[in-house]
Amino acid sequence: MKWKLLAMAALTGLAACDKSGFEYEDAAPGGNVHYSLIDTIGIGMRTIQLDSVPSSGTGYLVVGGYSDPETGRIDVAANFRVARPYSFPELGDRVVYDSIEIIFRPDAYSYGDTLPDQEWSVYQLARPLELDDDQTRFYTHHIFPHAATPLARESFPILPRRGDSIQLRLRDDFGRELMEKIRTKSEDVSTDVLFLDYMKGLQLRATRGTAVFRVPAADSAVVMRLHYHISTTEIEKYTIDFPIGNPELQFNEVHVDRSNTPLASLIPGPAGLLSSDAGNRTWVQSLSGMVTRLDFPSLTGLPLLGKYGKVMQATLELRPISGTYPQYALPPRITLCTATKDQVVTDTLSTVSGYLYGDLVTDLLYPENTKYAYDVTTYCTAIAKGGDANYQGLLAIPSSGDYYSQLNRLVLGDAKHEGYRAYLKIYYLLYK
C-alpha cells in the first residue's frame, strides 16, 4: 500500500541512535543490533461526538448551565423520583398545612462561574419516570416531558464548597393537595405504585445559569419536606419527608448549542471533526459526549524496518493548549481505550500496575510542560504485530468515575500544533 511505503520511509528516516538504559536480552551475540528512538510517529487526531452517553443511575443529579467559547452553551437538567415514606402519620381535623419545600445539598463540585446568583426551577414530570419496554437506561439526549408551569422558581447564590443546602419552596396548591390526600388516606398515596402514578417525578433545572452543580442522589442530599402543624392549646409543628426514590432511574438530560464555536460543524458519528480542520486542536468533554480519537497508521509498518524488531518502550504525551484553562478546569484523569473505526470501545489500556489514567501534571509557569502521559508499550507492540486487519485506534475519554457526572473539558493540540503538540516516542530494538 502507498501509505505503508510512506510510513516506512518516515520511520527509517526518523530513527535516532540512543542506546542507554536497556539490555538486549533477546538479541543474538555478535548480531547487528540497532536501538533507535523514533520520536516523530504520525498521529491522526479528531474530535468525536458520541451518539449517546449513559445518564441514569450515575449517583448524581447534575444541574445548571454555562456558556463556553470553546464548547458552546451547555444546560443540564436532572430528572428524579420522590418516594413515598414508609408510613404516614394520622392527620385529624386540627391539622393545618404550612408549606412544602424541596431540599438539595450539593457536593463540592462545580463548573463555570459560581459568583452570580443562580436561578433554579422545579417542574413536575408529565408522566411517571419509568423506562419504556425497549429501554435499559436513560441517556443524556433523552428529553422527559414535564408540566408547563413550574412548582418553584427562585434565584439565590450557591456556594457548594461551604456545604450549604438549597431550599426551594414549592407551590402551596401542590402542597395542600398532597396533604389532603394523606389526611383522607387517598388511594393515590396508599401504595408505591399508585403514588408514582400520582407524583410521577420532578425535574430540577436552571434558567440562564452560569455554572453547573452536582447533588448526590442520596436520601441525605435530596428530600421533599411537607410542613404542617396541629392546633391544640399550643401549636405543634411537624414534617413529613419524601426521600429520593429509585436512584437507578434518576438521569441527567444535556442540551448543547455549539453554534458560533470551533465545534459548530461537529455532528454525531464516527467521522468526527479532523484536528486539521479545527486549528490543529481536538476536544474532550465527558457529559456532553465529546472524545478525542488518536490513530497511528505508521505503527503497522514497524516490522518492515527489519527481520527482527521489538518495541522496548513507548510513551504518549497529550498537551492541553495554554489559555484554554485554568478558568475552565481540566479533567483530572484521562483514560485511553482501544476502539474500532466505528468508535466501539474494546478495552482500556493498562499495565501490570493497573489502568492507565494519564494523571494530569500541571505547570502554570511553563504551560508547555502541562500534560497527560501514558506508557503505551503494550498497545504499540500489539498494533505492530497485528497488522492492518487488526488495527484499532485510541479514544481519550475522562475516567469512569468522572465520565457521567462532570463537564470538565480539555482542548488538546495535535501532532502538528506549534506549541502544544501530541507526542509519541518509541524506543525500538532492531536486529538485522
Side-chain angles (χ1 to χ4, degrees), residues 15-286:
C17 214
D18 180 4
K19 298 184 179 180
S20 62
F22 290 101
E23 295 181 1
Y24 309 144
E25 296 179 356
D26 297 332
N32 185 9
V33 176
H34 297 273
Y35 172 48
S36 301
L37 167 61
I38 305 172
D39 62 357
T40 49
I41 289 284
I43 306 176
M45 294 175 63
R46 65 184 68 202
T47 304
I48 302 294
Q49 175 63 58
L50 301 179
D51 291 324
S52 56
V53 176
S55 183
S56 55
T58 63
Y60 293 99
L61 287 71
V62 183
V63 184
Y66 68 98
S67 296
D68 182 341
E70 293 284 344
T71 57
R73 177 70 195 180
I74 296 178
D75 291 283
V76 188
N79 300 281
F80 59 100
R81 289 184 184 180
V82 289
R84 174 180 172 273
Y86 180 74
S87 63
F88 289 111
E90 292 288 336
L91 301 181
D93 294 337
R94 293 181 179 272
V95 66
V96 178
Y97 166 83
D98 289 326
S99 66
I100 188 169
E101 64 180 348
I102 191 158
I103 302 170
F104 304 96
R105 188 179 293 278
D107 66 6
Y109 176 80
S110 63
Y111 205 73
D113 185 359
T114 61
L115 290 179
D117 286 2
Q118 309 294 319
E119 183 178 83
W120 280 14
S121 301
V122 178
Y123 291 85
Q124 190 167 17
L125 298 182
R127 62 183 178 87
L129 183 57
E130 294 179 303
L131 293 167
D132 294 333
D133 292 339
D134 60 345
Q135 288 181 291
T136 57
R137 64 191 312 175
F138 291 111
Y139 292 83
T140 54
H141 66 271
H142 286 142
I143 299 175
F144 214 86
H146 61 76
T149 304
L151 292 174
R153 176 172 290 165
E154 188 176 350
S155 296
F156 40 79
I158 300 177
L159 301 173
R161 297 187 187 278
R162 285 175 44 178
D164 294 342
S165 59
I166 297 167
Q167 297 167 288
L168 289 171
R169 179 164 177 167
L170 307 182
R171 290 202 324 260
D172 286 334
D173 60 329
F174 169 75
R176 287 193 180 95
E177 179 184 280
L178 177 57
M179 194 183 77
E180 183 63 15
K181 288 183 179 293
I182 297 171
R183 189 185 71 80
T184 60
K185 298 181 174 59
S186 167
E187 280 193 355
D188 288 339
V189 297
S190 62
T191 68
D192 293 341
V193 173
L194 292 173
F195 182 73
L196 174 62
D197 192 53
Y198 164 67
M199 189 64 201
K200 296 180 176 61
L202 298 175
Q203 181 183 98
L204 179 65
R205 63 185 309 122
T207 308
R208 301 185 302 276
T210 61
V212 171
F213 303 88
R214 194 173 66 178
V215 180
D219 293 352
S220 59
V222 182
V223 63
M224 185 175 75
R225 180 167 293 163
L226 176 65
H227 297 264
Y228 66 95
H229 70 270
I230 297 176
S231 294
T232 57
T233 53
E234 295 182 357
I235 294 179
E236 302 172 23
K237 294 185 177 182
Y238 299 93
T239 60
I240 301 174
D241 282 356
F242 299 78
I244 190 169
N246 198 342
E248 289 301 311
L249 289 181
Q250 181 277 316
F251 83 99
N252 306 305
E253 57 182 66
V254 179
H255 305 265
V256 180
D257 179 4
R258 296 200 177 106
S259 57
N260 302 316
T261 74
L263 293 161
S265 61
L266 178 64
I267 60 174
L273 177 63
L274 292 172
S275 61
S276 56
D277 294 332
N280 297 113
R281 298 184 298 169
T282 64
W283 288 260
V284 178
Q285 188 177 50
S286 54

